[in-house]
Amino acid sequence: MPYPSKLPASVGVGIKPEHFEAIAAAHQPLGFFEVHAENYMGAGGLPHAQLRALRADYALSVHGVGLSIGSIAPLDRAHLSRLKQLCDRYQPQSFSEHLAWSTHDGVFFNDLLPLPYTETTLANVIAHVDEVQTALGRRMLLENPATYVRFAESSIPETAFLNEIARATGCGLLLDINNVFVSTRNHGAHARAYLAEFPLDRVGEIHLAGHFETVDDAGAPLCIDAHGSPVIEDVFALFDSVIRRAGPLPTLIEWDNDVPDWPTLRDEALAAQMHLDRAAASGTQSTA
């Protein structure tokens, strides 16, 4: 069943506090804003005052980074409760999380770590997605990860793994095209081949971001998902290929490090909007 995204099929950006005054000074030509859930789990203060003001005028996407939905351990019920309070309070058009884990035995890791794609982990993630959707009373999106290692025991392609989670739970998918570029580059695979297998009819939101390339300790090329630079043309080309097939979709520009001034970030979003506008003008239709 196609995922019925409630976000507008236009471009949004992640909210940064330093941009609030510039954003609030005039209506922005953007479809939505996105926040990291964990930055708004307090009860009040300036972050909530700013978010309330923006929510009154724009669609909102809440993006979680700390649920550790891929962990083999039970979900943190207190964290899930705070997440529900946040969603109930702001009624976002979308909630999303990562196919990753970040906690183990009471320790929190400041990374989104990969998991082996096996029948055991598939059943575990399906159970966790079911639990999240039941607790929140809403469908969620699950994001494909940026990865740097593969597990020898993985037996299911990542695209098939995500598709089965969506089929079993009814959740949608968040397609991070920069993550596709980073992962396939790191694993010697082809991004277009990955995207050819991705279930686009499940996608409710797209993420675009910058990355950088370096070498690992052995001198091998390594691509890092850094969110600290503009989207490169190769990633925009992949974006074009996706929206030619699927039609315009809600699309977020992620820029979380070395954050530029508001005009620079807004212009990056407007550049992405031009790609969506061209797809709409060409008459591309959803794969659904």
Side-chain angles (χ1 to χ4, degrees):
M1 176 183 297
Y3 185 83
S5 180
K6 296 180 180 178
L7 289 172
S10 54
V11 175
V13 301
I15 295 174
K16 295 292 177 288
E18 58 266 43
H19 294 156
F20 176 77
E21 294 298 333
I23 293 171
H27 188 78
Q28 303 298 325
L30 300 172
F32 65 100
F33 285 96
E34 185 162 289
V35 297
H36 285 177
E38 286 71 16
N39 291 336
Y40 294 87
M41 286 186 169
L46 182 60
H48 282 286
Q50 293 180 343
L51 184 55
R52 277 197 306 275
L54 291 176
R55 183 67 183 93
D57 296 324
Y58 300 94
L60 177 67
S61 172
V62 171
H63 188 52
V65 297
L67 198 51
S68 197
I69 207 164
S71 172
I72 200 68
L75 295 178
D76 183 334
R77 301 290 175 79
H79 187 97
L80 191 54
S81 177
R82 291 192 290 270
L83 188 57
K84 176 174 171 50
Q85 291 175 24
L86 179 65
C87 288
D88 288 348
R89 183 172 182 176
Y90 290 103
Q91 296 295 316
Q93 278 76 8
S94 176
F95 167 73
S96 55
E97 251 288 353
H98 301 82
L99 179 62
W101 60 281
S102 56
T103 58
H104 179 69
D105 199 21
V107 177
F108 180 81
F109 302 98
N110 192 29
D111 286 295
L112 297 168
L113 300 167
L115 56 153
Y117 298 140
T118 66
E119 294 294 342
T120 298
T121 54
L122 177 62
N124 184 63
V125 175
I126 287 173
H128 282 174
V129 170
D130 278 337
E131 182 178 352
V132 172
Q133 292 188 140
T134 298
L136 299 186
R138 62 169 59 227
R139 295 167 79 179
M140 63 172 287
L141 304 177
L142 190 64
E143 179 180 342
N144 59 296
T147 59
Y148 308 91
V149 296
R150 282 175 166 170
F151 290 87
E153 61 265 48
S154 286
S155 58
I156 306 172
E158 184 174 280
T159 51
F161 195 89
L162 285 161
N163 189 44
E164 180 57 20
I165 294 167
R167 186 203 64 77
T169 66
C171 79
L173 300 176
L174 193 164
L175 173 58
D176 190 316
I177 296 178
N178 186 60
N179 285 357
V180 173
F181 185 94
V182 167
S183 294
T184 54
R185 180 64 64 92
N186 287 338
H187 302 314
H190 297 285
R192 290 183 184 276
Y194 178 100
L195 290 170
E197 299 297 325
F198 202 91
L200 295 184
D201 59 326
R202 302 285 190 181
V203 175
E205 185 180 341
I206 288 175
H207 277 184
L208 300 173
H211 62 265
F212 71 86
E213 299 199 31
T214 182
V215 294
D216 64 18
D217 291 344
L222 181 64
C223 198
I224 303 293
D225 180 35
H227 295 192
S229 56
V231 179
I232 67 168
E233 286 304 317
D234 285 348
V235 171
F236 269 131
L238 294 174
F239 178 50
D240 286 337
S241 72
V242 167
I243 57 178
R244 277 198 299 270
R245 292 167 54 201
L249 289 165
T251 300
L252 182 84
I253 295 294
E254 290 186 297
W255 202 323
D256 300 312
N257 297 297
D258 297 325
V259 177
D261 60 20
W262 173 245
T264 300
L265 181 57
R266 183 190 56 203
D267 288 350
E268 182 81 349
L270 295 180
Q273 184 65 51
M274 291 176 62
H275 290 254
L276 287 180
D277 292 344
R278 284 201 297 267
S282 70
T284 51
Q285 296 181 355
S286 171
T287 56

